[in-house]
């Protein structure tokens, strides 16, 4: 990964983890906790692709495993976010620009449900059945709901910052600098309009008459000069 990707990803992951531990985890919401760390991984994976998504997901999950007050086995959430980051990176648009918000929202819902199921499945393998005691259905519903409500305020911002760090022209659609396709289209439209305007002015009757008279005068002068030259040659 490039240095700017590493720096930006580290800052976003650390900030999301602090907010999740110090703020979101203390809201005492029913069911699951809004997973801001998961949304950061998703936003970066949709820009960096599956390889970057997997690496960022593993690092973010490992940091969450080591950060207090984590009470589960180290590497459990790292595995979950690594898989989710890889799969989310596969949904990266080829053109680099998202056509609508429907795709990312579906990715968020699928990631929230998939992460909860995968986390509970790994917990069962290591002897942790806390998901069964809380209720897996309730966890799935609340995780998808909380992340879906939080996604519109976080994922576009994260993707915009990632694209700006990549110097991507598509960053203009997310608030970054650079030229946008709409500006290119309007510029092309302005050139075409100006060309059509010039052609229409050339086609005006008065304009055509003046151009014809000018051409006639030039031809007449050219003919006289040629006649003079020919007469001069004959006199010699």
């Amino acid at each position: 990964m490039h240095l700017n990707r590493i720096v930006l990803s580290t800052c976003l992951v650390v900030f999301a983890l602090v907010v999740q531990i110090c703020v979101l985890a203390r809201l005492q919401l029913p069911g699951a906790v809004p997973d801001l760390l998961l949304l950061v991984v998703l936003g970066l994976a949709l820009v960096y692709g599956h390889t970057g998504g997997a690496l960022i997901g593993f690092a973010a999950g490992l940091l969450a495993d080591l950060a207090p007050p984590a009470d589960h086995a180290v590497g459990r959430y790292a595995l979950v976010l690594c898989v989710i980051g890889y799969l989310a990176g596969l949904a990266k648009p080829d053109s680099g620009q998202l056509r609508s918000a429907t795709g990312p929202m579906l990715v968020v819902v699928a990631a929230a449900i998939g992460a909860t199921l995968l986390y509970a499945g790994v917990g069962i393998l290591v002897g942790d059945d806390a998901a069964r005691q809380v209720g897996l259905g309730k966890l799935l519903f609340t995780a998808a709901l909380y992340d879906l409500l939080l996604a519109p305020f976080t994922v576009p911002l994260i993707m915009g910052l990632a694209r700006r760090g990549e110097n991507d022209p598509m960053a203009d659609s997310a608030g970054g600098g650079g030229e946008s396709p709409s500006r290119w289209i309007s510029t092309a439209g302005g050139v075409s309009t100006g060309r059509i305007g010039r052609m229409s002015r050339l086609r005006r009757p008065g304009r055509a008459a003046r151009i014809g008279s000018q051409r006639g005068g030039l031809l007449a002068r050219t003919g006289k000069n040629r006649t003079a030259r020919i007469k001069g040659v004959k006199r010699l």
Side-chain angles (χ1 to χ4, degrees):
M1 295 180 66
H2 301 295
L3 181 60
N4 56 347
R5 291 187 177 186
I6 296 175
V7 173
L8 178 62
S9 302
T10 303
C11 294
L12 290 176
V13 166
V14 172
F15 176 77
L17 185 61
V18 171
V19 172
Q20 186 166 334
I21 294 176
C22 298
V23 179
L24 298 179
R26 298 185 179 184
L27 295 178
Q28 301 296 329
L29 296 174
V33 176
D35 200 340
L36 183 60
L37 194 61
L38 174 64
L39 297 179
V40 170
V41 173
L42 292 180
L44 295 176
L46 289 174
V47 177
Y48 296 154
H50 58 279
T51 302
L55 294 176
I56 295 171
F58 178 80
L62 185 61
L63 186 62
D65 290 333
L66 297 174
D71 56 353
H72 54 268
V74 176
R76 179 176 173 183
Y77 202 50
L79 174 62
V80 173
L81 288 187
C82 181
V83 174
I84 296 300
Y86 179 84
L87 295 178
L90 296 177
K92 174 187 175 182
D94 296 333
S95 61
Q97 185 179 19
L98 297 172
R99 296 182 179 180
S100 65
T102 304
M105 292 298 101
L106 293 177
V107 171
V108 169
V109 174
I113 295 175
T116 304
L117 289 175
L118 188 57
Y119 186 83
V122 175
I124 293 174
L125 293 178
V126 298
D128 184 4
D129 57 350
R132 293 181 178 179
Q133 299 176 2
V134 177
L136 184 58
K138 182 179 180 180
L139 285 177
L140 292 175
F141 176 76
T142 54
L145 179 62
Y146 297 155
D147 292 347
L148 188 61
L149 293 176
L150 191 60
F153 305 99
T154 55
V155 175
L157 178 61
I158 294 168
M159 295 180 65
L161 292 174
R163 284 173 176 166
R164 181 181 295 181
E166 293 289 298
N167 295 323
D168 190 349
M170 298 302 176
D172 183 68
S173 62
E179 296 291 337
S180 63
S182 59
R183 179 179 294 182
W184 295 343
I185 294 173
S186 62
T187 304
V191 172
S192 301
T193 305
R195 185 176 299 174
I196 293 172
R198 289 194 297 270
M199 291 178 64
S200 64
R201 289 195 298 269
L202 289 175
R203 291 177 182 177
R204 293 176 182 176
R207 183 82 173 183
R210 289 194 298 270
I211 292 174
S213 62
Q214 292 174 1
R215 288 181 179 176
L218 290 175
L219 292 174
R221 286 194 296 270
T222 304
K224 290 179 180 179
N225 293 333
R226 290 182 62 187
T227 304
R229 286 197 297 271
I230 292 173
K231 289 182 180 180
V233 171
K234 287 181 179 180
R235 280 199 297 270
L236 291 175

